[in-house]
């Protein structure tokens, strides 16, 4: 039976270990954003032996490129972007101690294995619910790469941001198991090739 | 000749771009409501509920429906008895996009394909112009999200693969896309023409009112069959498992070369945004 868990970073191995696929989570506290271009910058900095603008140990990373805030507002729409584009960078981020990622869509087998190895989880937020999710964001501040515009790294303060555990640290995948329950075709080979 | 000022075109594009990003069409809202009723999976129903709430927040709080405010695809039907005056026609459209994405607080999501440097104003839009009879100018602004566009495909089938081959490719595209394009989706299918025409037909097919039957009975039957098979995949809302992976399949078809059977699948997310203006 799935449960509802409140998560507030920094997270420990223990916080992550209790999470199972299908569990609902409500994230509160400080999280960071990064998408395609920011990931490339972060990994390039590491490769050059430079210091990162954020210490990701125990943190939650949200794959999002928000729309601009209207004057007087915290942020614009802020739903998740498709995560597979970050897959090639993710094992490196997990090695740094990142504990959870929020996005949408499938992860690669390599990422799922790295989540097992480093004890981390992947959370799915509702793709296309950008207006709804923006209501959970109480503060937003650009902390790195402002020149990337919507792709800059933001520090967000969130309250009860809803998500669901897609991959737990035991290597399980809700996208596989959930779909199996409703599939009516004989074909079991649903391994996506485009997501690699 | 009826004259239309470029300034009026800019204004119309700007307003349509903003409206499309904030107000979900009535047809989509009805489809989401039907989904909330009909979906069997509890998490699927919860997703439909969230999407309806999202649409209502977007409307009342003036937050875009989705942070990906899309690449602006513009379909133009230009009456042959219209004369455009006051400037460059395509520039007028691009200016409308620039103003709409700026003044509407919409995300600028276009960049140099290789350096990835953002163009800063969400231009250039992709414009498809058709000359039609009459003295009207119809402009449809379609902000197209990257997540669903990335899952779209073009297949060049052998004619021997026939109708069954076409259905199989549509199902394959949806299956491989899985949770990535934000299901529940709408599937635009273009059959025939050439390589590029099939893709254009697939995109145009997305403009039809969701839930309305295809006026061609042959295609209406094909759409039903495709929808059934797509939904048998069990992907469901957000890929969490469920009955409704696609809310609709829309097909447009035209003759192809005797050697070819092009099929394009343009996947559209539930945030299927388009607004038209007639001048
Ligand atoms: S696929 Fe559509 S709903 Fe999903 S993030 Fe992209 S634009 Fe938004």
């Amino acid at each position: 039976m799935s449960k509802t868990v409140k998560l507030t970073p920094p997270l420990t191995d223990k916080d992550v270990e209790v999470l199972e696929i299908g569990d609902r989570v409500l994230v509160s506290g400080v999280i960071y954003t990064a998408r395609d271009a920011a990931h490339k910058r972060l990994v390039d900095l590491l490769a050059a032996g430079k210091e990162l603008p954020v210490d990701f140990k125990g943190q939650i990373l949200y794959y999002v490129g928000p729309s601009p805030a209207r004057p007087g507002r915290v942020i614009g729409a802020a739903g998740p972007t498709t995560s597979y584009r970050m897959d090639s960078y993710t094992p490196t981020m997990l090695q740094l101690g990142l504990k959870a990622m929020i996005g949408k869509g499938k992860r690669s087998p390599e990422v799922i294995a790295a989540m097992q190895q480093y004890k981390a989880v992947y959370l799915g937020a509702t793709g296309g619910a950008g207006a709804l999710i923006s209501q959970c964001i109480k503060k937003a501040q650009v902390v790195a790469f402002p020149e990337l515009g919507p792709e800059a790294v933001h520090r967000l303060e969130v309250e009860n941001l809803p998500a669901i555990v897609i991959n737990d640290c035991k290597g399980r995948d809700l996208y596989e198991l959930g779909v199996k329950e409703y599939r009516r075709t004989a074909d079991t080979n649903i391994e996506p090739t485009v997501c690699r | 000749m009826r004259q239309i000022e470029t300034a009026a075109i800019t204004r119309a594009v700007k307003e349509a771009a903003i409206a499309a990003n904030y107000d979900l069409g009535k047809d989509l809202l009805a489809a989401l409501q039907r989904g909330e009723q009909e979906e069997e999976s509890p998490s699927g129903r919860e997703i439909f509920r969230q999407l309806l709430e999202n649409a209502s927040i977007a409307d009342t709080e003036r937050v875009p429906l989705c942070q990906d405010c899309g690449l602006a695809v513009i379909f133009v039907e230009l009456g042959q008895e219209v004369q455009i005056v006051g400037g460059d026609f395509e520039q007028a459209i691009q200016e409308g996009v620039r103003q709409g994405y700026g003044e509407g607080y919409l995300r600028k999501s276009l960049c140099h394909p290789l350096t990835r440097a953002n163009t800063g104003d969400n231009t250039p839009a992709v414009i498809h112009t058709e000359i039609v009879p009459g003295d009207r100018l119809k402009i449809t602004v379609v902000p197209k999200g990257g997540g669903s566009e990335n899952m779209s495909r073009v297949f060049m089938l052998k004619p021997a693969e026939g109708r069954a081959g076409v259905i199989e490719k549509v199902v394959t595209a949806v299956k491989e896309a899985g949770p990535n394009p934000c299901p529940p989706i709408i599937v635009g299918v273009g059959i025939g023409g050439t390589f590029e025409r099939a893709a254009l037909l697939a995109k145009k097919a997305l403009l039809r009112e969701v839930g309305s039957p295809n006026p061609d009975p042959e295609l209406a039957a094909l759409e039903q069959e495709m929808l059934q098979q797509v939904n048998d995949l069990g992907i469901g809302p957000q890929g969490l498992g469920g009955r409704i992976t696609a809310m609709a399949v829309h097909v447009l078809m035209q003759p192809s070369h005797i050697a070819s059977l092009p099929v394009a699948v343009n996947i559209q997310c539930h945030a299927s945004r388009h607004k038209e203006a007639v001048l």
Side-chain angles (χ1 to χ4, degrees), chain A residues 65 70-71 73 77 79 84 104-106 126-132 175 178-179 182-184 187 192-195, chain B residues 22 41 50 53-54 57 61-65 67 105 107 151 175-176 180 182 232-233 238-243 270:
Chain A
R70 282 177 185 275
R73 296 283 183 86
Y84 74 91
K104 65 162 170 113
K106 286 221 158 219
T126 302
L132 179 69
Y175 289 141
V179 169
Y182 290 91
R183 189 186 305 142
R184 280 173 168 159
D187 182 1
T193 48
V194 286
C195 301
Chain B
Y22 286 88
S41 113
Q50 287 185 10
E53 196 185 339
N54 186 64
I57 291 171
E61 300 286 320
R62 300 320 278 167
V63 184
L65 288 154
Q67 74 290 336
Y105 297 94
R107 198 182 77 186
M151 297 296 118
K175 182 162 83 175
E176 291 185 348
N180 294 357
C182 293
D232 282 349
L233 291 170
Q238 295 292 309
L240 302 174
R243 263 314 137 237
H270 59 77

Side-chain angles (χ1 to χ4, degrees), chain B residues 137-220:
Chain B
L137 171 62
K138 183 164 128 187
I139 301 174
T140 309
V141 179
V142 189
K144 186 68 172 76
S148 53
E149 194 72 355
N150 280 348
M151 297 296 118
S152 301
R153 312 278 295 272
V154 177
F155 303 94
M156 299 303 282
L157 300 189
K158 292 194 279 289
E161 291 175 81
R163 190 174 184 275
V166 171
I167 296 175
E168 196 243 295
K169 289 304 177 202
V170 171
V171 175
T172 300
V174 175
K175 182 162 83 175
E176 291 185 348
N180 294 357
C182 293
I185 56 174
I186 296 166
V187 187
V189 180
I191 308 172
T194 46
F195 177 76
E196 85 286 3
R197 178 53 67 98
L200 190 56
L201 288 175
K203 177 143 280 126
K204 237 182 163 177
L206 297 173
L207 300 181
R208 202 174 92 214
E209 197 177 300
V210 175
S212 66
N214 195 309
D216 177 334
E218 183 194 6
L219 296 185

